[in-house]
Amino acid sequence: MKKYLPVIICAAFLVIFAACSKQNKNTEVTETETVTSTTIIYTYPDSQETVTSGAMNQSDQTNAQFVATTSQGGSQNVSSTEYNGVLTYYSENPNNKYIRMAADKFGQDPNNFIALIKVNAQYPGASVLQFDGSRDSSGRLITTADHLVYFYDVADSGSIKRSNKDGSDVTGFSDNKTINKVAGMTAYKLAEDEMIPRLDNLKKTMVYEEHF
């Protein structure tokens, strides 16, 4: 019996180890499923912004997904104008249709708007930025993050989403109040960090009215 004791001990150890591994694996699956059910993923042409919130139904998931144009790889490549065939064009023309759609709907001065127009996109439209109207000594609109007032997502279909910085004035992202606020603030943040740094380059090379 003593002769087989080490073998028995080793076998018992392997059984216990296998049981623990299975339990850990099941725990990992459960944790993954929980995170999936409570995570909102906002999808952009070339990046994803993940925000954790409460669980939401299918309707809210659809409403929470919106498109905004950002630079490929984030701020490290702010000169990029194309991703997966989607081209981004710049317009400050107050008569641009996307600027007029946003300005007219909310009763704002179109001269304070910039549009970043997505061409060949899955969801055609434009990311429209409204500034506070401050101008430099030459009369040019100041388009820095400090002067940004609203972000708009304007779709060709006519739907318009809008958000300010602190989420106190957000509309169109979701019927769920919490998701609507979080999505709007996320979009505004991307406008500050990703879109505004690209404006000067786009204005020099990708003016919409020079191509269409």
Side-chain angles (χ1 to χ4, degrees):
M1 183 68 179
K2 292 182 179 179
K3 178 180 176 180
Y4 295 103
L5 185 58
V7 176
I8 294 172
I9 293 173
C10 289
F13 178 80
L14 290 173
V15 170
I16 294 172
F17 179 80
C20 291
S21 297
K22 183 176 180 181
Q23 183 178 2
N24 289 337
K25 184 176 181 180
N26 290 337
T27 301
E28 290 174 357
V29 171
T30 302
E31 290 175 352
T32 301
E33 291 174 350
T34 301
V35 171
T36 301
S37 67
T38 58
T39 299
I40 306 167
I41 298 178
Y42 305 103
T43 306
Y44 303 88
D46 49 0
S47 67
Q48 287 187 333
E49 180 75 14
T50 303
V51 179
T52 301
S53 184
M56 58 182 175
N57 57 35
Q58 184 61 43
S59 176
D60 286 331
Q61 289 176 359
T62 300
N63 289 331
Q65 292 184 348
F66 59 92
V67 177
T69 304
T70 62
S71 59
Q72 184 177 4
S75 58
Q76 294 179 356
N77 186 15
V78 298
S79 63
S80 174
T81 59
E82 181 176 5
Y83 183 81
N84 285 345
V86 178
L87 286 169
T88 303
Y89 291 89
Y90 172 99
S91 179
E92 59 184 28
N93 186 336
N95 293 316
N96 177 273
K97 70 174 183 178
Y98 297 105
I99 290 177
R100 292 311 302 241
M101 286 170 68
D104 291 349
K105 180 172 182 176
F106 292 95
Q108 302 297 313
D109 183 354
N111 291 291
N112 297 334
F113 284 69
I114 298 293
L116 299 180
I117 302 157
K118 297 164 287 189
V119 177
N120 299 328
Q122 182 179 0
Y123 304 99
S127 297
V128 179
L129 311 180
Q130 179 185 349
F131 297 90
D132 62 14
S134 299
R135 281 168 165 74
D136 62 19
S137 58
S138 300
R140 290 185 294 263
L141 181 68
I142 299 176
T143 58
T144 61
D146 291 342
H147 293 274
L148 182 65
V149 179
Y150 283 100
F151 164 84
Y152 299 80
D153 181 64
V154 182
D156 277 6
S157 64
S159 67
I160 301 177
K161 304 176 180 72
R162 180 172 90 151
S163 179
N164 61 351
K165 186 180 182 69
D166 64 6
S168 61
D169 188 3
V170 180
T171 183
F173 292 95
S174 174
D175 292 333
N176 180 289
K177 185 177 180 179
T178 300
I179 295 173
N180 187 59
K181 180 176 180 177
V182 172
M185 292 175 68
T186 300
Y188 187 99
K189 180 63 174 174
L190 282 171
E192 281 187 312
D193 296 346
E194 305 284 355
M195 300 179 197
I196 288 179
R198 305 175 64 201
L199 293 182
D200 287 344
N201 180 67
L202 288 171
K203 186 175 182 178
K204 293 175 183 177
T205 61
M206 301 291 287
V207 176
Y208 184 78
E209 286 75 19
E210 293 178 0
H211 293 82
F212 297 92

